[in-house]
């Protein structure tokens, strides 16, 4: 039989003895063997056959689990009998024995429910006469029972074929009953992710698809989907906020079954929030927005967001911090289908071991790395994992908020950050939190070094958030250039390929116009070495807007690989003498006279669309009498600069034409 209770801080557990005694009164078969264990913090690593074999090998009528620590009365230490090897002290959380002997052992119990079962059994064990008459021993080498308190360094996972055991490395034993007694609940949760066969190297996760709440397979009508409140929190300047809202719109979930709660304490993002709500707010069942003018702190906003608790129709609360990049449009459906109390999709930061979960906690409740953390983050172990901490994005069942958590300000703490307070409060109510990496969900942005002093600050994120920068600014066909042979050759040794998205082109143009300090197109130019430009254009240099490092990174990552493919034997570090945006206007500078570029090779990227933004334009290579008269927006022309490719800029006859030019040398 099994019973539960947490008596790690004060004695207690008398009700377990009382209930056991009552149950035994109904039993009469003398050769019956009783296994008595705590239940809610126990994992069974094997079955009854192994238990019985090891029990018989012990050679006693009653076998108790053992501990290295004595509790609750340290004064009784000297009265415990010595053992040849192993733990001396009795643990009341698990024992096994014959019915008559256990009946005899509990027959004298007259205590109250709040009295200590541990102390009661200890006094029987240290009494030589009772110990002998009942025939009691302790499992000193942890062959049957493993109490984790005081023994965490002794216990490791042992992966066998198709199953997992806990191994006591001190005694080289494989205990059957693993008990997370005292303050070791998180450790037994960790072991339970594997033991006995929840996850093995041969099978992977065997329990991940149990007790699911299917949405797609049952073809639930949109009106029958659970009602979800989505809490969106903007607490610091964050890149790619517009992209966040674009992805929110793409979530594959009926919008009339979503309620939005948006908390934004950053003035910098007010326009983005306002635009989203004006354009799309009507699609959702309900929207509540709190801005910086509302003077509400972050903790209060998160506590307020649990108003899902007060709405009896609300089924889930979905926490979604603004720095979360949800690439998987099915994320919300997947989490709901897992049918867990609190579940988070695993997201990581590219190139780093940072994620939105912790596999373990330190003694003071902060981050500690579990043995399996790296394997989970890097996808070598895939499953649904019981963990002590999740953050940034997670789904919580609303009925928990209305029951076990009804009296909680979940994010409130005098000493902990809001996310740590949330997890601490959840753990204190013995509610499990899970993280799933069964699917690829997305990543989390770095908000470090995010500056807000430009018009389009996301352009500067190529170092901090390169994957998001690429998603936003690099042409969707760029990665297919070589595989699908997308590079065109409109003129000899001139290569034409897609590199920028429309958004990238627009942002660069708008950034330059916002800066506004266009050159006069004169030969005298104090911006360049020597102060004289032989073939001047009306332009703005990248270094004028503090973009030269980012532009060099772009050239190195996205242009240099193409250069090395198309010019075999040539390698470049993409150093540039000049990089600038040129503006052509009929009434300003419509064209550029024939010239050689002062470069090994030149990159010329069209930043707007012929026929839509301007008329005319293009580039003519005189030696080959070859022209490109319809440059494609976002496409780059790459050609040698010196000697062979004498060229001119063809007249822009209407509108305004913009190009980004780089003179690149090794």
């Amino acid at each position: 039989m099994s019973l539960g209770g947490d008596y790690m801080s004060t004695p207690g557990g008398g009700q377990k003895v009382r209930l056991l005694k009552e149950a035994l009164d109904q039993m009469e078969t003398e050769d019956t063997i009783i296994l008595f264990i705590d239940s809610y913090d126990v994992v069974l690593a094997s079955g009854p056959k192994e238990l019985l074999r090891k029990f018989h090998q012990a050679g006693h009528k009653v076998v108790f689990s053992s501990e290295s620590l004595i509790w609750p009365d340290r004064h009784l230490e000297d009265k415990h009998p010595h053992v040849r090897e192993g733990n001396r002290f009795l643990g009341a959380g698990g024992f096994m024995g014959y019915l008559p002997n256990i009946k005899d052992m509990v027959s004298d119990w007259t205590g109250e429910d709040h009295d200590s079962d541990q102390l009661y059994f200890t006094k029987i064990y240290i009494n030589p006469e009772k110990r002998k008459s009942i025939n009691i021993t302790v499992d000193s080498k942890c062959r049957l029972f493993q109490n984790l308190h005081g023994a965490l360094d002794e216990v490791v996972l042992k992966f066998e074929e198709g199953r997992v055991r806990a191994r006591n490395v001190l005694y080289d034993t494989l205990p059957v009953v693993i008990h997370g007694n005292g303050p070791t609940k998180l450790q037994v949760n960790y072991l339970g992710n594997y033991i006995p066969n929840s996850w093995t190297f041969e099978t992977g996760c065997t329990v991940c698809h149990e007790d699911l709440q299917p949405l797609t397979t049952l073809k639930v009508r949109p009106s029958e989907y659970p009602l979800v409140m989505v809490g969106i929190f903007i607490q610091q300047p964050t890149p790619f906020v517009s992209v966040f809202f674009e992805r929110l719109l793409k979530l594959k979930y009926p919008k009339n079954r979503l309620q939005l709660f948006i908390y934004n304490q950053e003035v910098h993002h007010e326009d983005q929030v306002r635009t989203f709500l004006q354009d799309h707010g009507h699609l959702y069942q309900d929207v509540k927005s709190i801005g910086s003018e509302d003077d509400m702190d972050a903790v209060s906003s998160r506590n307020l967001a649990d108003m899902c608790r007060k709405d009896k129709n609300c089924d889930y609360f979905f926490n979604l911090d603004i720095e979360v990049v949800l690439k998987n449009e099915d994320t919300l459906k997947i989490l709901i289908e897992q049918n867990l109390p609190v579940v988070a999709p695993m997201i990581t930061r590219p190139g780093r071991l940072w994620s939105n979960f912790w596999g373990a906690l330190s003694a003071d409740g902060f981050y500690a790395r579990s043995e399996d953390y790296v394997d989970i983050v890097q996808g070598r172990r895939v499953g649904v994992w019981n963990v002590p901490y999740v953050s940034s994005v997670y789904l919580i069942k609303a009925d928990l908020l209305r029951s076990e958590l009804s009296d909680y300000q979940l994010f409130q703490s005098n000493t902990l950050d809001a996310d740590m307070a949330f997890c601490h409060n959840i753990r204190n109510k013995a509610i499990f939190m899970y993280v799933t990496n069964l699917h690829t969900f997305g990543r989390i942005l770095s908000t470090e070094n995010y500056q807000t002093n430009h018009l389009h600050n996301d352009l500067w994120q190529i170092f901090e958030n390169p994957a998001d920068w690429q998603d936003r600014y690099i042409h969707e066909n760029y990665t297919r250039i070589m595989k699908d042979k997308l590079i065109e050759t409109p003129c000899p040794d001139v290569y034409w390929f897609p590199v920028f998205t429309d958004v990238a082109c627009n942002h660069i143009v708008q950034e330059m116009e916002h800066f506004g300090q266009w050159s006069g197109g004169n030969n005298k130019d104090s911006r360049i070495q020597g102060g004289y430009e032989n073939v001047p254009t009306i332009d703005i240099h990248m270094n004028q807007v503090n973009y030269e490092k980012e532009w060099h990174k772009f050239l190195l990552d996205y242009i240099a690989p193409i250069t090395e493919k198309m010019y075999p034997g040539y390698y470049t570090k993409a150093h540039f003498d000049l990089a600038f945006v040129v503006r052509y206007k009929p009434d300003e500078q419509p064209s550029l006279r024939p010239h050689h570029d002062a470069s090994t090779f030149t990159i010329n990227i069209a930043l707007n669309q012929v026929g839509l933004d301007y008329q005319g334009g293009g580039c003519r290579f005189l030696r080959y009498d070859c022209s490109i008269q319809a440059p494609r927006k976002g496409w780059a022309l790459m050609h040698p600069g010196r000697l062979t490719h004498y060229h001119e800029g063809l007249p822009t006859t209407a509108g305004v034409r913009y190009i980004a030019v780089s003179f690149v040398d090794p």
Side-chain angles (χ1 to χ4, degrees):
M1 51 189 306
S2 61
L3 292 166
D6 187 1
Y7 311 105
M8 55 181 273
S9 56
T10 59
Q15 83 278 8
K16 294 192 286 184
V17 187
R18 173 176 59 80
L19 292 169
L20 174 61
K21 185 176 180 181
E22 292 172 359
L24 295 179
D25 287 341
Q26 311 300 316
M27 301 181 185
E28 296 181 357
T29 307
E30 292 196 355
D31 61 352
T32 298
I33 296 176
I34 302 295
L35 172 66
F36 183 90
I37 55 174
D38 284 353
S39 60
Y40 81 110
D41 54 1
V42 163
V43 175
L44 296 176
S46 187
K49 186 178 293 186
E50 182 177 342
L51 263 175
L52 286 168
R53 174 172 55 83
K54 290 182 174 180
F55 170 71
H56 289 307
Q57 289 171 348
H60 288 72
K61 298 295 185 180
V62 177
V63 180
F64 270 88
S65 68
S66 67
E67 299 201 43
S68 61
L69 306 173
I70 185 170
W71 186 85
D73 189 347
R74 296 181 181 277
H75 298 95
L76 300 177
E77 178 176 351
D78 292 339
K79 296 185 178 182
H80 279 73
H82 288 275
V83 296
R84 188 163 48 190
E85 183 181 7
N87 301 324
R88 289 173 57 199
F89 307 118
L90 175 146
F95 55 86
M96 190 171 180
Y98 286 96
L99 176 62
N101 303 76
I102 294 180
K103 275 188 174 182
D104 188 15
M105 188 171 65
V106 300
S107 61
D108 293 336
W109 172 262
T110 58
E112 301 294 331
D113 284 0
H114 61 268
D115 291 333
S116 172
D117 61 325
Q118 175 82 19
L119 186 59
Y120 173 75
F121 291 126
T122 296
K123 287 182 175 179
I124 293 175
Y125 179 62
I126 64 177
N127 183 317
E129 294 180 1
K130 289 187 176 182
R131 183 170 69 247
K132 184 176 181 181
S133 65
I134 300 173
N135 197 3
I136 303 174
T137 190
V138 295
D139 180 29
S140 60
K141 294 172 68 174
C142 305
R143 299 182 72 249
L144 287 89
F145 303 98
Q146 175 68 65
N147 289 311
L148 294 177
H149 189 32
L152 291 178
D153 292 338
E154 301 170 12
V155 180
V156 298
L157 290 171
K158 181 178 186 291
F159 290 91
E160 300 176 344
E161 187 172 352
R163 69 173 184 171
V164 185
R165 301 295 299 262
R167 176 175 174 243
N168 186 302
V169 295
L170 189 60
Y171 307 120
D172 195 21
T173 54
L174 299 174
V176 178
V177 179
I178 319 299
H179 182 202
N181 59 321
T184 64
K185 303 295 182 278
L186 300 183
Q187 286 77 10
V188 81
N189 290 348
Y190 164 76
L191 295 175
N193 284 328
Y194 296 93
I195 298 171
N197 58 3
S198 295
W199 192 97
T200 72
F201 284 107
E202 292 78 18
T203 64
C205 182
T206 63
V207 298
C208 291
H209 301 289
E210 295 179 358
D211 301 320
L212 297 182
Q213 176 179 309
L215 291 176
T216 52
T217 55
L218 291 183
K219 297 184 179 178
V220 177
R221 290 181 297 180
S223 61
E224 296 173 347
Y225 272 62
L227 180 62
V228 181
M229 175 173 285
V230 183
I232 298 165
F233 299 91
I234 310 173
Q235 296 179 216
Q236 67 279 320
T238 304
F240 304 107
V241 167
S242 297
V243 182
F244 172 92
F245 285 116
E246 290 172 12
R247 290 202 173 99
L248 180 65
L249 280 170
K250 293 178 181 177
L251 270 184
K252 292 180 180 177
Y253 201 88
K255 292 180 175 53
N256 63 356
R257 301 301 293 162
L258 295 177
Q259 298 177 343
L260 299 186
F261 173 86
I262 302 177
Y263 169 74
N264 173 32
Q265 69 177 32
E266 285 297 328
V267 175
H268 174 69
H269 294 307
E270 284 181 353
D271 286 344
Q272 291 156 314
V273 174
R274 186 182 306 111
T275 298
F276 170 74
L277 293 179
Q278 286 175 350
D279 293 346
H280 309 289
H282 65 280
L283 300 174
Y284 297 89
Q285 187 187 98
D286 189 35
V287 175
K288 181 175 178 60
S289 178
I290 293 178
S292 56
E293 71 282 358
D294 293 306
D295 195 28
M296 178 179 290
D297 65 83
V299 172
S300 298
S301 73
R302 291 186 184 270
N303 284 326
L304 178 62
D306 77 352
M307 52 191 167
C308 174
R309 170 191 287 155
K310 302 169 186 175
D311 182 354
K312 64 181 181 181
N313 295 315
C314 184
D315 297 302
Y316 293 93
F317 177 73
F318 185 42
N319 186 96
L320 189 57
D321 290 355
I322 197 69
E323 60 266 27
V324 172
V325 180
L326 274 190
K327 298 276 285 183
N328 191 326
E329 297 174 2
D330 292 313
T331 295
L332 189 51
K333 285 183 182 178
I334 291 168
L335 297 183
I336 290 173
E337 289 181 342
Q338 284 297 151
N339 196 26
L340 294 167
V342 181
V343 59
M346 188 189 78
I347 56 173
T348 60
R349 188 162 291 163
R352 297 175 60 181
L353 290 175
W354 193 98
S355 74
N356 65 322
F357 79 96
W358 297 349
L361 296 182
S362 63
D364 53 0
F366 289 89
Y367 171 81
R369 179 172 291 181
S370 61
E371 177 273 334
D372 57 359
Y373 178 81
V374 174
D375 279 353
I376 293 173
V377 169
Q378 295 184 341
R380 290 191 292 270
R381 300 186 191 183
V382 174
V384 180
W385 312 95
N386 187 327
V387 295
Y389 171 92
V390 297
S391 67
S392 302
V393 52
Y394 51 83
L395 185 75
I396 182 169
K397 285 187 174 181
D399 58 7
L400 284 177
L401 299 173
R402 290 189 282 268
S403 53
E404 291 98 320
L405 302 173
S406 61
D407 57 346
Y408 266 70
Q409 294 287 305
L410 290 176
F411 300 91
Q412 198 74 43
S413 171
N414 294 327
T415 57
L416 300 174
D417 292 340
D419 55 346
M420 293 183 65
F422 168 78
C423 294
H424 174 78
N425 289 328
I426 294 288
R427 293 194 304 269
N428 278 355
K429 284 292 187 177
I431 295 170
F432 289 159
M433 292 172 281
Y434 297 85
V435 67
T436 171
N437 66 339
L438 287 174
H439 306 264
T440 299
F441 293 100
R443 54 184 176 262
I444 193 159
L445 293 167
S446 169
T447 57
E448 301 167 13
N449 305 317
Y450 184 60
Q451 304 297 319
T452 59
N453 54 338
H454 300 285
L455 179 65
H456 293 294
N457 300 281
D458 296 346
L459 280 169
W460 276 257
Q461 287 295 297
I462 191 170
F463 290 105
E464 286 292 335
N465 293 289
D468 299 272
W469 193 93
Q470 177 172 319
D471 281 355
R472 187 64 162 164
Y473 293 128
I474 295 300
H475 197 285
E476 62 180 356
N477 291 334
Y478 174 83
T479 55
R480 297 170 43 230
I481 284 176
M482 293 302 177
K483 177 184 175 183
D484 295 345
K485 299 180 180 179
L486 298 181
I487 297 181
E488 300 180 19
T489 311
C491 299
D493 285 326
V494 176
Y495 300 105
W496 201 14
F497 55 90
V499 64
F500 273 152
T501 62
D502 280 3
V503 172
C505 297
N506 296 342
H507 283 191
I508 292 171
V509 168
Q510 291 164 11
E511 195 68 46
M512 294 303 178
E513 288 292 0
H514 178 72
F515 179 71
Q517 297 179 28
W518 296 94
S519 66
N522 301 315
N523 294 110
K524 291 184 178 180
D525 192 340
S526 60
R527 299 171 302 169
I528 62 176
Q529 188 175 4
Y532 184 85
E533 172 58 64
N534 187 41
V535 187
T537 54
I538 292 178
D539 55 47
I540 294 174
H541 290 187
M542 294 298 181
N543 61 9
Q544 290 180 262
V545 293
N546 297 316
Y547 202 64
E548 67 273 26
K549 291 180 181 178
E550 289 77 9
W551 192 256
H552 178 251
K553 174 73 169 169
F554 158 70
L555 293 175
L556 196 61
D557 288 355
Y558 298 100
I559 300 300
I562 306 298
T563 306
E564 292 166 7
K565 289 286 186 182
M566 304 317 296
Y567 300 119
Y570 176 80
Y571 300 97
T572 178
K573 294 183 180 179
H575 294 304
F576 57 86
D577 291 325
L578 285 176
F580 49 95
V581 172
V582 180
R583 183 174 72 184
Y584 290 113
K585 296 170 67 175
D587 58 351
E588 191 175 65
Q589 181 185 11
S591 61
L592 191 63
R593 67 179 176 81
H595 63 283
H596 283 293
D597 291 337
S599 67
T600 301
F601 69 92
T602 295
I603 298 296
N604 179 334
I605 305 172
L607 297 178
N608 56 349
Q609 186 64 52
V610 64
L612 181 65
D613 302 310
Y614 65 91
Q615 301 293 328
C619 181
R620 176 172 175 257
F621 294 93
L622 280 73
R623 181 175 181 176
Y624 309 105
D625 191 21
C626 180
S627 298
I628 298 98
Q629 293 184 313
R632 300 167 190 160
K633 184 177 181 180
W635 281 54
L637 278 175
M638 180 170 68
H639 61 82
R642 300 181 179 94
L643 297 178
T644 58
H645 282 62
Y646 193 58
H647 60 285
E648 64 180 332
L650 299 175
T652 298
T653 58
V656 184
R657 179 188 177 212
Y658 298 92
I659 58 173
V661 178
S662 302
F663 293 164
V664 184
D665 284 309

